[in-house]
Amino acid sequence: MKDLPLSKVYQLLEPGPVVLLTTARKGRINVMTMSWHTMVEFEPPLVACVVSSANYSFAALRATKECVIALPAVALARKIVGVGNCSGRNTDKFKRFGLTPAPAWRVAPPLIVECFANLECRVADTHLVNKYNLFVLEVLKAWIDPSQRNPKTIHHRGYGSFAVDGEIIKLKSRMR
Amino acid sequence: MKDLPLSKVYQLLEPGPVVLLTTARKGRINVMTMSWHTMVEFEPPLVACVVSSANYSFAALRATKECVIALPAVALARKIVGVGNCSGRNTDKFKRFGLTPAPAWRVAPPLIVECFANLECRVADTHLVNKYNLFVLEVLKAWIDPSQRNPKTIHHRGYGSFAVDGEIIKLKSRMR
């Protein structure tokens, strides 16, 4: 994994890919699938995400205030859905789905080796957690796997239907 | 435009498409391009979005607490970028880019006829506006244009580069 400048993190999350989110609490690591996230600020990168209080990851994220957002490419689609269809309450999802945890630098939750990028995050704001389960995260450190070239991400459309990244178009723009 | 059940709104926004956002204030309508949004709740549909205070739309959204989120397909890509590269301060963007406003039912800002879906929204929460420019919106009414079949959306990757929706894959899932 190679260092990714924090100024480029938004280019990974702004397109709206399905991501994985890892947590660690009391010696147990866990991973969930997440599509409800948005960039909030470019740099330092801030991300808002919704983690349902029905998810086992919710309590870990709220208590430890740390997570890793891992970006999987389409080759992992079956594992992404599998992770989203069971709970860390009664499943070691890393083992069950053959995902490899690796130590992060700044936080306790693990990176996921099979993902093409990993973002180490700390909870920056909890004002909307009680009402909406909405956390604001700051990305502290970002990693990219240069061996995965032009990874295609997937975008959930409901009930297991996903749009895979297709053609890339480039238009002259003043937008960052 | 046909009525879309509010329970299906998340299927439009969860995949992370670039959208247009319209506002109306003091007799002037405006439109901006937006990629920083996420679903927050299924039903009634709640959406969090970030509208920079540098954008002309910010003041209108904060003052009137109303907007429309319009979903454009890839055929509108050049207009989407054009809208994002100028300001309503000195431009009538509807006229300049040939976008057709149509009256909404529940809010003052207009629908956009060329878009395949339009979501009439009211600001539901402003707690994070001052700190992060983050608004929580409630979708009050949703419209879909059935004549646009299988619209492909676009996903911004920075500096005018966009991934167009490609292949649709379906996996057995218990996730809504």
Side-chain angles (χ1 to χ4, degrees), chain A residues 14 85 156 159 166 174 176, chain B residues 14 85 156 159 174 176:
Chain A
E14 181 172 322
N85 278 253
H156 192 225
Y159 298 98
R174 286 195 297 268
R176 171 152 59 161
Chain B
E14 182 172 321
N85 277 251
H156 192 224
Y159 297 98
R174 285 195 298 269
R176 171 155 58 162

Side-chain angles (χ1 to χ4, degrees), chain A residues 70-139:
Chain A
L71 281 92
V74 61
L76 296 176
R78 284 183 182 284
K79 296 185 183 200
I80 294 167
V81 172
V83 164
N85 278 253
C86 63
S87 172
R89 267 182 202 88
N90 46 27
T91 311
D92 177 342
K93 297 202 233 180
F94 281 90
K95 188 172 286 182
R96 176 160 169 192
F97 296 104
L99 297 170
T100 312
W105 272 33
R106 302 280 305 271
V107 298
L111 314 179
I112 300 178
V113 170
E114 289 78 11
C115 288
F116 69 86
N118 281 273
L119 311 175
E120 304 184 18
C121 301
R122 179 171 58 199
V123 173
D125 197 295
T126 58
H127 279 92
L128 296 190
V129 170
N130 285 342
K131 195 163 180 191
Y132 300 115
N133 298 331
L134 185 151
F135 296 82
V136 178
L137 310 174
E138 178 181 344
V139 181

Side-chain angles (χ1 to χ4, degrees), chain B residues 80-103:
Chain B
I80 294 167
V81 172
V83 165
N85 277 251
C86 64
S87 171
R89 265 181 206 88
N90 46 28
T91 311
D92 178 342
K93 298 202 233 180
F94 281 90
K95 189 172 288 182
R96 176 160 169 191
F97 297 104
L99 296 170
T100 312

Side-chain angles (χ1 to χ4, degrees), chain A residues 10-11 14-16 33 35-42 46 48 50 74 77-78 81 84-86 124-125 127-128 131-132 134 136 154-176, chain B residues 10-11 14-16 33 35-42 46 48 50 74 77-78 81 84-86 124-125 127-128 131-132 134 136 154-176:
Chain A
Y10 83 95
Q11 296 176 8
E14 181 172 322
T33 301
S35 282
W36 289 11
H37 59 79
T38 177
M39 289 305 299
V40 170
E41 185 52 85
F42 287 106
L46 298 179
V50 177
V74 61
R78 284 183 182 284
V81 172
N85 278 253
C86 63
D125 197 295
H127 279 92
L128 296 190
K131 195 163 180 191
Y132 300 115
L134 185 151
V136 178
I154 65 174
H155 306 261
H156 192 225
R157 299 151 58 102
Y159 298 98
S161 174
F162 298 86
V164 183
D165 286 341
E167 184 192 3
I168 306 298
I169 59 174
K170 289 184 185 177
L171 294 171
K172 203 169 172 179
S173 173
R174 286 195 297 268
M175 290 190 286
R176 171 152 59 161
Chain B
Y10 83 94
Q11 296 176 10
E14 182 172 321
T33 301
S35 282
W36 289 12
H37 59 78
T38 177
M39 291 304 300
V40 169
E41 185 52 86
F42 287 107
L46 299 178
V50 177
V74 61
R78 284 182 183 283
V81 172
N85 277 251
C86 64
D125 196 300
H127 279 93
L128 296 190
K131 195 163 179 192
Y132 300 115
L134 185 149
V136 178
I154 65 173
H155 306 262
H156 192 224
R157 299 150 58 102
Y159 297 98
S161 175
F162 298 86
V164 184
D165 285 342
E167 184 192 5
I168 305 298
I169 58 175
K170 289 186 185 179
L171 295 170
K172 203 169 172 177
S173 174
R174 285 195 298 269
M175 291 190 285
R176 171 155 58 162

Side-chain angles (χ1 to χ4, degrees), chain A residues 16-38:
Chain A
V18 180
V19 300
L20 300 172
L21 184 141
T22 79
T23 48
R25 192 185 186 197
K26 297 179 182 172
R28 285 181 65 184
I29 59 174
N30 191 24
V31 55
M32 63 170 273
T33 301
M34 179 171 79
S35 282
W36 289 11
H37 59 79
T38 177

Side-chain angles (χ1 to χ4, degrees), chain A residues 50-71:
Chain A
V50 177
V51 175
S52 166
S53 56
N55 285 332
Y56 188 64
S57 301
F58 176 84
L61 180 58
R62 188 160 64 170
T64 69
K65 293 193 158 43
E66 291 184 347
C67 64
V68 167
I69 295 176
L71 281 92

